[in-house]
Amino acid sequence: MKHDDATSLFGLVPGVDVGRVFADRRQLYDAGVHRQLQAGICGTKQHGAQSIVVSGGYEDDEDHGDVIIYTGQGGRDPGTGQQVKDQALTLGNAALVTSLTTGVPVRVVRSLNGHQRKSRPSGYRYDGLFRVEDYWSDSGRSGHLVWRYRLVQLARVGGAITPQPPAPAEPVGRTTLTRVESKVQRIVRSTSVADFVKRVHDFTCQVCGLRLPTPTGAYAEAAHVRGLGRPHNGPDVPANVLCLCPNHHTLFDFGMLSIDDDLMVTDVTTGDPLGRLASNKAHEIGLEYLAYHRTHHSRGWVHEAGSASGPDVDG
């Protein structure tokens, strides 16, 4: 297979069925499924991650089948599997963040040695496409900082997964719409909670004070401080919600804003204070949720010139 063919870089690999088992890394590489012979993440910060290998090599990995809590690369002792130093948000770790921002899915390969419950005793299985839905920093079991990613398997329609192009392209679209019946599980968010928080703050961003008028009324977004769903399991209550403009909602979700207990907002990339979060007596923000966000989303961020972790084996 030509590895410089753009169609082999992202999404499904032509001619390779999901579920196919490979004997070793060389076969994965030759098929274009995972184009790294050692590293567990294949990709770049610029374009995103093409594929990952879930091998059980990292002590903080969690494999729930259609949801994977994946630990980034770096800082692991290949002999013991334990973390011996902090990870950096560079190389493959940065590539997975890019995949989150672009929405381009990532191929997932599971090591059957690392997951005996997956039915086969050895080799690697290509398990299709997953989308990166969240990332954060955490203290691993060994006490070192690790980067973690929540990947969710893409739903199949008609027995197949629709591939996504590696770069933005103008869609053809459809003049006639069709409906497909499907069953999904999702977290049901309380619209009354979001509406309450936004109305208390008059649809004004608590970080910058921007209020966006529209023909149907002002627009703002409700941002959960501690994320809902696995693994954060934050509550859908007003104390865990902020009223933000779209820009600061995005920055907050990516951990680029940190809010102290005194409600001082800091730009994580520069360390500069941006002022105090606007408050209202009718809406008390839970300090425990702010502390969780600081711990899991804001620490460990490194500048472009920061040090990078060394090569990794079997991510």
Side-chain angles (χ1 to χ4, degrees), residues 129-143:
L129 302 182
F130 284 63
R131 196 179 303 280
V132 183
E133 291 200 346
D134 194 7
Y135 88 106
W136 63 97
S137 61
D138 208 346
S139 292
R141 295 183 187 180
S142 299

mmCIF file with all atom_site columns, all heavy atoms in Angstrom, residues 129-143:
data_model
loop_
_atom_site.group_PDB
_atom_site.id
_atom_site.type_symbol
_atom_site.label_atom_id
_atom_site.label_alt_id
_atom_site.label_comp_id
_atom_site.label_asym_id
_atom_site.label_entity_id
_atom_site.label_seq_id
_atom_site.pdbx_PDB_ins_code
_atom_site.Cartn_x
_atom_site.Cartn_y
_atom_site.Cartn_z
_atom_site.occupancy
_atom_site.B_iso_or_equiv
_atom_site.pdbx_formal_charge
_atom_site.auth_seq_id
_atom_site.auth_comp_id
_atom_site.auth_asym_id
_atom_site.auth_atom_id
_atom_site.pdbx_PDB_model_num
ATOM 1   N N   . LEU A 1 129 ? -13.289 3.193  13.771 1.00 0.00 ? 129 LEU A N   1
ATOM 2   C CA  . LEU A 1 129 ? -13.086 4.617  14.028 1.00 0.00 ? 129 LEU A CA  1
ATOM 3   C C   . LEU A 1 129 ? -13.703 5.064  15.344 1.00 0.00 ? 129 LEU A C   1
ATOM 4   O O   . LEU A 1 129 ? -14.832 4.699  15.677 1.00 0.00 ? 129 LEU A O   1
ATOM 5   C CB  . LEU A 1 129 ? -13.677 5.441  12.888 1.00 0.00 ? 129 LEU A CB  1
ATOM 6   C CG  . LEU A 1 129 ? -13.138 5.160  11.478 1.00 0.00 ? 129 LEU A CG  1
ATOM 7   C CD1 . LEU A 1 129 ? -13.796 6.099  10.480 1.00 0.00 ? 129 LEU A CD1 1
ATOM 8   C CD2 . LEU A 1 129 ? -11.628 5.291  11.429 1.00 0.00 ? 129 LEU A CD2 1
ATOM 9   N N   . PHE A 1 130 ? -12.957 5.889  16.050 1.00 0.00 ? 130 PHE A N   1
ATOM 10  C CA  . PHE A 1 130 ? -13.409 6.516  17.288 1.00 0.00 ? 130 PHE A CA  1
ATOM 11  C C   . PHE A 1 130 ? -13.201 8.023  17.158 1.00 0.00 ? 130 PHE A C   1
ATOM 12  O O   . PHE A 1 130 ? -12.300 8.478  16.454 1.00 0.00 ? 130 PHE A O   1
ATOM 13  C CB  . PHE A 1 130 ? -12.620 6.013  18.492 1.00 0.00 ? 130 PHE A CB  1
ATOM 14  C CG  . PHE A 1 130 ? -13.006 4.636  18.967 1.00 0.00 ? 130 PHE A CG  1
ATOM 15  C CD1 . PHE A 1 130 ? -12.837 3.519  18.156 1.00 0.00 ? 130 PHE A CD1 1
ATOM 16  C CD2 . PHE A 1 130 ? -13.526 4.455  20.245 1.00 0.00 ? 130 PHE A CD2 1
ATOM 17  C CE1 . PHE A 1 130 ? -13.174 2.258  18.593 1.00 0.00 ? 130 PHE A CE1 1
ATOM 18  C CE2 . PHE A 1 130 ? -13.867 3.189  20.698 1.00 0.00 ? 130 PHE A CE2 1
ATOM 19  C CZ  . PHE A 1 130 ? -13.700 2.086  19.880 1.00 0.00 ? 130 PHE A CZ  1
ATOM 20  N N   . ARG A 1 131 ? -14.017 8.781  17.860 1.00 0.00 ? 131 ARG A N   1
ATOM 21  C CA  . ARG A 1 131 ? -13.861 10.236 17.865 1.00 0.00 ? 131 ARG A CA  1
ATOM 22  C C   . ARG A 1 131 ? -13.368 10.696 19.233 1.00 0.00 ? 131 ARG A C   1
ATOM 23  O O   . ARG A 1 131 ? -13.863 10.227 20.271 1.00 0.00 ? 131 ARG A O   1
ATOM 24  C CB  . ARG A 1 131 ? -15.186 10.930 17.541 1.00 0.00 ? 131 ARG A CB  1
ATOM 25  C CG  . ARG A 1 131 ? -14.999 12.405 17.151 1.00 0.00 ? 131 ARG A CG  1
ATOM 26  C CD  . ARG A 1 131 ? -16.331 13.068 16.818 1.00 0.00 ? 131 ARG A CD  1
ATOM 27  N NE  . ARG A 1 131 ? -17.047 12.403 15.761 1.00 0.00 ? 131 ARG A NE  1
ATOM 28  C CZ  . ARG A 1 131 ? -16.791 12.542 14.465 1.00 0.00 ? 131 ARG A CZ  1
ATOM 29  N NH1 . ARG A 1 131 ? -15.769 13.290 14.076 1.00 0.00 ? 131 ARG A NH1 1
ATOM 30  N NH2 . ARG A 1 131 ? -17.515 11.927 13.568 1.00 0.00 ? 131 ARG A NH2 1
ATOM 31  N N   . VAL A 1 132 ? -12.384 11.601 19.246 1.00 0.00 ? 132 VAL A N   1
ATOM 32  C CA  . VAL A 1 132 ? -11.884 12.166 20.497 1.00 0.00 ? 132 VAL A CA  1
ATOM 33  C C   . VAL A 1 132 ? -12.895 13.214 20.981 1.00 0.00 ? 132 VAL A C   1
ATOM 34  O O   . VAL A 1 132 ? -13.152 14.191 20.277 1.00 0.00 ? 132 VAL A O   1
ATOM 35  C CB  . VAL A 1 132 ? -10.498 12.810 20.318 1.00 0.00 ? 132 VAL A CB  1
ATOM 36  C CG1 . VAL A 1 132 ? -9.971  13.334 21.649 1.00 0.00 ? 132 VAL A CG1 1
ATOM 37  C CG2 . VAL A 1 132 ? -9.518  11.808 19.712 1.00 0.00 ? 132 VAL A CG2 1
ATOM 38  N N   . GLU A 1 133 ? -13.458 13.005 22.158 1.00 0.00 ? 133 GLU A N   1
ATOM 39  C CA  . GLU A 1 133 ? -14.502 13.902 22.658 1.00 0.00 ? 133 GLU A CA  1
ATOM 40  C C   . GLU A 1 133 ? -14.057 14.758 23.834 1.00 0.00 ? 133 GLU A C   1
ATOM 41  O O   . GLU A 1 133 ? -14.737 15.712 24.189 1.00 0.00 ? 133 GLU A O   1
ATOM 42  C CB  . GLU A 1 133 ? -15.742 13.096 23.052 1.00 0.00 ? 133 GLU A CB  1
ATOM 43  C CG  . GLU A 1 133 ? -16.460 12.482 21.850 1.00 0.00 ? 133 GLU A CG  1
ATOM 44  C CD  . GLU A 1 133 ? -17.898 12.107 22.158 1.00 0.00 ? 133 GLU A CD  1
ATOM 45  O OE1 . GLU A 1 133 ? -18.252 12.077 23.357 1.00 0.00 ? 133 GLU A OE1 1
ATOM 46  O OE2 . GLU A 1 133 ? -18.651 11.850 21.206 1.00 0.00 ? 133 GLU A OE2 1
ATOM 47  N N   . ASP A 1 134 ? -12.928 14.418 24.463 1.00 0.00 ? 134 ASP A N   1
ATOM 48  C CA  . ASP A 1 134 ? -12.492 15.204 25.624 1.00 0.00 ? 134 ASP A CA  1
ATOM 49  C C   . ASP A 1 134 ? -11.033 14.874 25.901 1.00 0.00 ? 134 ASP A C   1
ATOM 50  O O   . ASP A 1 134 ? -10.527 13.821 25.495 1.00 0.00 ? 134 ASP A O   1
ATOM 51  C CB  . ASP A 1 134 ? -13.359 14.853 26.843 1.00 0.00 ? 134 ASP A CB  1
ATOM 52  C CG  . ASP A 1 134 ? -13.213 15.860 27.988 1.00 0.00 ? 134 ASP A CG  1
ATOM 53  O OD1 . ASP A 1 134 ? -12.546 16.900 27.785 1.00 0.00 ? 134 ASP A OD1 1
ATOM 54  O OD2 . ASP A 1 134 ? -13.751 15.602 29.087 1.00 0.00 ? 134 ASP A OD2 1
ATOM 55  N N   . TYR A 1 135 ? -10.342 15.787 26.573 1.00 0.00 ? 135 TYR A N   1
ATOM 56  C CA  . TYR A 1 135 ? -8.993  15.509 27.048 1.00 0.00 ? 135 TYR A CA  1
ATOM 57  C C   . TYR A 1 135 ? -8.743  16.315 28.304 1.00 0.00 ? 135 TYR A C   1
ATOM 58  O O   . TYR A 1 135 ? -9.373  17.353 28.541 1.00 0.00 ? 135 TYR A O   1
ATOM 59  C CB  . TYR A 1 135 ? -7.954  15.838 25.973 1.00 0.00 ? 135 TYR A CB  1
ATOM 60  C CG  . TYR A 1 135 ? -7.459  17.268 25.963 1.00 0.00 ? 135 TYR A CG  1
ATOM 61  C CD1 . TYR A 1 135 ? -6.186  17.593 26.439 1.00 0.00 ? 135 TYR A CD1 1
ATOM 62  C CD2 . TYR A 1 135 ? -8.263  18.302 25.496 1.00 0.00 ? 135 TYR A CD2 1
ATOM 63  C CE1 . TYR A 1 135 ? -5.728  18.896 26.436 1.00 0.00 ? 135 TYR A CE1 1
ATOM 64  C CE2 . TYR A 1 135 ? -7.821  19.611 25.482 1.00 0.00 ? 135 TYR A CE2 1
ATOM 65  C CZ  . TYR A 1 135 ? -6.549  19.902 25.956 1.00 0.00 ? 135 TYR A CZ  1
ATOM 66  O OH  . TYR A 1 135 ? -6.114  21.204 25.956 1.00 0.00 ? 135 TYR A OH  1
ATOM 67  N N   . TRP A 1 136 ? -7.837  15.821 29.159 1.00 0.00 ? 136 TRP A N   1
ATOM 68  C CA  . TRP A 1 136 ? -7.528  16.513 30.401 1.00 0.00 ? 136 TRP A CA  1
ATOM 69  C C   . TRP A 1 136 ? -6.238  15.926 30.970 1.00 0.00 ? 136 TRP A C   1
ATOM 70  O O   . TRP A 1 136 ? -5.784  14.862 30.553 1.00 0.00 ? 136 TRP A O   1
ATOM 71  C CB  . TRP A 1 136 ? -8.674  16.369 31.408 1.00 0.00 ? 136 TRP A CB  1
ATOM 72  C CG  . TRP A 1 136 ? -8.936  14.948 31.839 1.00 0.00 ? 136 TRP A CG  1
ATOM 73  C CD1 . TRP A 1 136 ? -8.479  14.316 32.957 1.00 0.00 ? 136 TRP A CD1 1
ATOM 74  C CD2 . TRP A 1 136 ? -9.725  13.971 31.139 1.00 0.00 ? 136 TRP A CD2 1
ATOM 75  N NE1 . TRP A 1 136 ? -8.930  13.015 33.001 1.00 0.00 ? 136 TRP A NE1 1
ATOM 76  C CE2 . TRP A 1 136 ? -9.693  12.782 31.901 1.00 0.00 ? 136 TRP A CE2 1
ATOM 77  C CE3 . TRP A 1 136 ? -10.452 14.000 29.944 1.00 0.00 ? 136 TRP A CE3 1
ATOM 78  C CZ2 . TRP A 1 136 ? -10.360 11.622 31.491 1.00 0.00 ? 136 TRP A CZ2 1
ATOM 79  C CZ3 . TRP A 1 136 ? -11.113 12.843 29.545 1.00 0.00 ? 136 TRP A CZ3 1
ATOM 80  C CH2 . TRP A 1 136 ? -11.073 11.672 30.315 1.00 0.00 ? 136 TRP A CH2 1
ATOM 81  N N   . SER A 1 137 ? -5.652  16.642 31.929 1.00 0.00 ? 137 SER A N   1
ATOM 82  C CA  . SER A 1 137 ? -4.488  16.114 32.635 1.00 0.00 ? 137 SER A CA  1
ATOM 83  C C   . SER A 1 137 ? -4.948  15.532 33.961 1.00 0.00 ? 137 SER A C   1
ATOM 84  O O   . SER A 1 137 ? -5.971  15.929 34.513 1.00 0.00 ? 137 SER A O   1
ATOM 85  C CB  . SER A 1 137 ? -3.443  17.206 32.866 1.00 0.00 ? 137 SER A CB  1
ATOM 86  O OG  . SER A 1 137 ? -3.981  18.245 33.673 1.00 0.00 ? 137 SER A OG  1
ATOM 87  N N   . ASP A 1 138 ? -4.181  14.585 34.474 1.00 0.00 ? 138 ASP A N   1
ATOM 88  C CA  . ASP A 1 138 ? -4.578  13.902 35.689 1.00 0.00 ? 138 ASP A CA  1
ATOM 89  C C   . ASP A 1 138 ? -3.329  13.390 36.394 1.00 0.00 ? 138 ASP A C   1
ATOM 90  O O   . ASP A 1 138 ? -2.255  13.294 35.793 1.00 0.00 ? 138 ASP A O   1
ATOM 91  C CB  . ASP A 1 138 ? -5.500  12.722 35.345 1.00 0.00 ? 138 ASP A CB  1
ATOM 92  C CG  . ASP A 1 138 ? -6.467  12.390 36.472 1.00 0.00 ? 138 ASP A CG  1
ATOM 93  O OD1 . ASP A 1 138 ? -6.257  12.880 37.602 1.00 0.00 ? 138 ASP A OD1 1
ATOM 94  O OD2 . ASP A 1 138 ? -7.427  11.649 36.224 1.00 0.00 ? 138 ASP A OD2 1
ATOM 95  N N   . SER A 1 139 ? -3.476  13.057 37.664 1.00 0.00 ? 139 SER A N   1
ATOM 96  C CA  . SER A 1 139 ? -2.424  12.372 38.391 1.00 0.00 ? 139 SER A CA  1
ATOM 97  C C   . SER A 1 139 ? -2.640  10.878 38.228 1.00 0.00 ? 139 SER A C   1
ATOM 98  O O   . SER A 1 139 ? -3.676  10.353 38.643 1.00 0.00 ? 139 SER A O   1
ATOM 99  C CB  . SER A 1 139 ? -2.449  12.744 39.882 1.00 0.00 ? 139 SER A CB  1
ATOM 100 O OG  . SER A 1 139 ? -2.090  14.095 40.063 1.00 0.00 ? 139 SER A OG  1
ATOM 101 N N   . GLY A 1 140 ? -1.675  10.208 37.591 1.00 0.00 ? 140 GLY A N   1
ATOM 102 C CA  . GLY A 1 140 ? -1.812  8.787  37.365 1.00 0.00 ? 140 GLY A CA  1
ATOM 103 C C   . GLY A 1 140 ? -1.630  7.985  38.633 1.00 0.00 ? 140 GLY A C   1
ATOM 104 O O   . GLY A 1 140 ? -1.366  8.521  39.713 1.00 0.00 ? 140 GLY A O   1
ATOM 105 N N   . ARG A 1 141 ? -1.764  6.681  38.511 1.00 0.00 ? 141 ARG A N   1
ATOM 106 C CA  . ARG A 1 141 ? -1.646  5.808  39.675 1.00 0.00 ? 141 ARG A CA  1
ATOM 107 C C   . ARG A 1 141 ? -0.284  5.915  40.335 1.00 0.00 ? 141 ARG A C   1
ATOM 108 O O   . ARG A 1 141 ? -0.148  5.702  41.547 1.00 0.00 ? 141 ARG A O   1
ATOM 109 C CB  . ARG A 1 141 ? -1.909  4.358  39.258 1.00 0.00 ? 141 ARG A CB  1
ATOM 110 C CG  . ARG A 1 141 ? -3.325  4.106  38.769 1.00 0.00 ? 141 ARG A CG  1
ATOM 111 C CD  . ARG A 1 141 ? -3.532  2.640  38.441 1.00 0.00 ? 141 ARG A CD  1
ATOM 112 N NE  . ARG A 1 141 ? -4.827  2.416  37.816 1.00 0.00 ? 141 ARG A NE  1
ATOM 113 C CZ  . ARG A 1 141 ? -5.272  1.232  37.424 1.00 0.00 ? 141 ARG A CZ  1
ATOM 114 N NH1 . ARG A 1 141 ? -4.515  0.154  37.591 1.00 0.00 ? 141 ARG A NH1 1
ATOM 115 N NH2 . ARG A 1 141 ? -6.462  1.112  36.869 1.00 0.00 ? 141 ARG A NH2 1
ATOM 116 N N   . SER A 1 142 ? 0.729   6.242  39.554 1.00 0.00 ? 142 SER A N   1
ATOM 117 C CA  . SER A 1 142 ? 2.083   6.360  40.107 1.00 0.00 ? 142 SER A CA  1
ATOM 118 C C   . SER A 1 142 ? 2.390   7.771  40.590 1.00 0.00 ? 142 SER A C   1
ATOM 119 O O   . SER A 1 142 ? 3.513   8.052  41.017 1.00 0.00 ? 142 SER A O   1
ATOM 120 C CB  . SER A 1 142 ? 3.121   5.930  39.060 1.00 0.00 ? 142 SER A CB  1
ATOM 121 O OG  . SER A 1 142 ? 2.934   4.577  38.686 1.00 0.00 ? 142 SER A OG  1
ATOM 122 N N   . GLY A 1 143 ? 1.412   8.680  40.510 1.00 0.00 ? 143 GLY A N   1
ATOM 123 C CA  . GLY A 1 143 ? 1.592   10.032 41.013 1.00 0.00 ? 143 GLY A CA  1
ATOM 124 C C   . GLY A 1 143 ? 2.124   11.034 40.020 1.00 0.00 ? 143 GLY A C   1
ATOM 125 O O   . GLY A 1 143 ? 2.272   12.206 40.353 1.00 0.00 ? 143 GLY A O   1
#
